[in-house]
Amino acid sequence: MSIGFILPSKGRPRKLEKSIISIKEKTKYINYCVYIYVDLDDKYINQYKKIFSRYKGIVHGVVGEKIGVPGAFNLLASMVKEKYIMMFNDDLNISTPNWDDIFLKKISVIKDEIFLAYFNDGINFERHAAFPIIPKKKWYDVVGYSSNKLIFQHNDTWVFSIGVMLHRCVYFSNIKLKHDHGYLKEKYKDETFKFNRNKLKIFLDHLIFLYLIFLRINSYLKIKKNLIEIENSVQFENISKFKVELKNFFETIILFFKLFSLK
């Protein structure tokens, strides 16, 4: 068993190293590699290169032109040689020791190996797969992308939407992540957070996400072809197939009025 963590990073070498250390210290039973993308013009590029060198046994660092977060996720996912892919952040740490043992025991009974796993990040809980795990061969290789044609956000929501359609989401409440998100504390609102939280970019991502529902449905249908009926020993989350889409629709409406309402 093996897993590739895909992780775009910007302006956060210290936080990134903490993320790498948490993966290294908490992962015991599964082989892994951390795939990291950093922009060539990042002002901390030399620090990033030192980190790549320091952890060269477990890190595959990529430095390149600006391709955006979705582009970085897709590029890194294409490089993954491991069995599973997990979206990760440079402000995220794994808290649960031997998390991979808990993960493997639960997903080992999914005979067709088609699932979306997600953990307790302390913010979204079972409501949303903020850092999803998917199989490389049975998911990514089938649809040909990680997430598609977005500006910044909704990469995780895109994957979660397909997982919900498949009715193959597995939530691990006992695997905990620590996400130093800017919405939680003022001290986490660093330069990268502020850059990524442009309201217009977020609104446009909502629109693109709504518009491209047909691509998610197409991906769902491609993956569904390989589904095998699973015994009741696996407890998949019972989430409406329309819940993710409707939630985004209402959020888009709210954002529209916030952005364009006359004051």
Side-chain angles (χ1 to χ4, degrees), residues 16-168:
L16 173 69
E17 187 162 17
K18 282 181 62 180
S19 298
I20 296 169
I21 291 170
S22 80
I23 293 170
K24 185 173 183 288
E25 291 181 346
K26 300 299 192 294
T27 307
K28 301 296 181 183
Y29 301 99
I30 195 168
N31 295 320
Y32 65 91
C33 180
V34 187
Y35 296 83
I36 301 166
Y37 191 92
V38 181
D39 292 339
L40 187 62
D41 64 351
D42 194 293
K43 65 180 180 180
Y44 298 106
I45 192 64
N46 290 331
Q47 291 184 42
Y48 275 114
K49 288 179 179 178
K50 287 178 182 178
I51 290 171
F52 296 164
S53 177
R54 193 176 303 137
Y55 297 96
K56 62 183 178 181
I58 59 171
V59 163
H60 181 88
V62 181
V63 177
E65 300 297 329
K66 288 183 178 179
I67 56 175
V69 172
F73 271 132
N74 282 323
L75 177 63
L76 296 175
S78 72
M79 296 177 175
V80 171
K81 297 179 176 63
E82 288 71 28
K83 189 167 187 176
Y84 306 116
I85 298 173
M86 180 177 182
M87 288 183 171
F88 216 79
N89 269 22
D90 55 8
D91 58 357
L92 185 72
N93 297 290
I94 300 175
S95 300
T96 304
N98 304 338
W99 69 272
D100 46 335
D101 184 41
I102 301 168
F103 167 73
L104 291 172
K105 284 177 180 175
K106 194 164 185 177
I107 58 95
S108 63
V109 296
I110 305 175
K111 301 304 180 185
D112 57 20
E113 300 180 332
I114 298 173
F115 64 89
L116 179 150
Y118 62 115
F119 306 151
N120 181 356
D121 71 342
I123 302 174
N124 299 287
F125 301 98
E126 76 280 1
R127 296 185 299 271
H128 178 70
F131 305 101
I133 295 180
I134 58 173
K136 173 72 160 54
K137 184 177 179 181
K138 296 293 186 73
W139 188 310
Y140 174 84
D141 289 350
V142 171
V143 301
Y145 62 78
S146 173
S147 60
N148 204 23
K149 300 181 185 299
L150 302 166
I151 299 171
F152 162 67
Q153 65 166 16
H154 283 331
N155 302 282
D156 51 356
T157 311
W158 187 285
V159 180
F160 186 44
S161 172
I162 297 170
V164 169
M165 291 180 193
L166 291 166
H167 193 62
R168 283 297 183 89

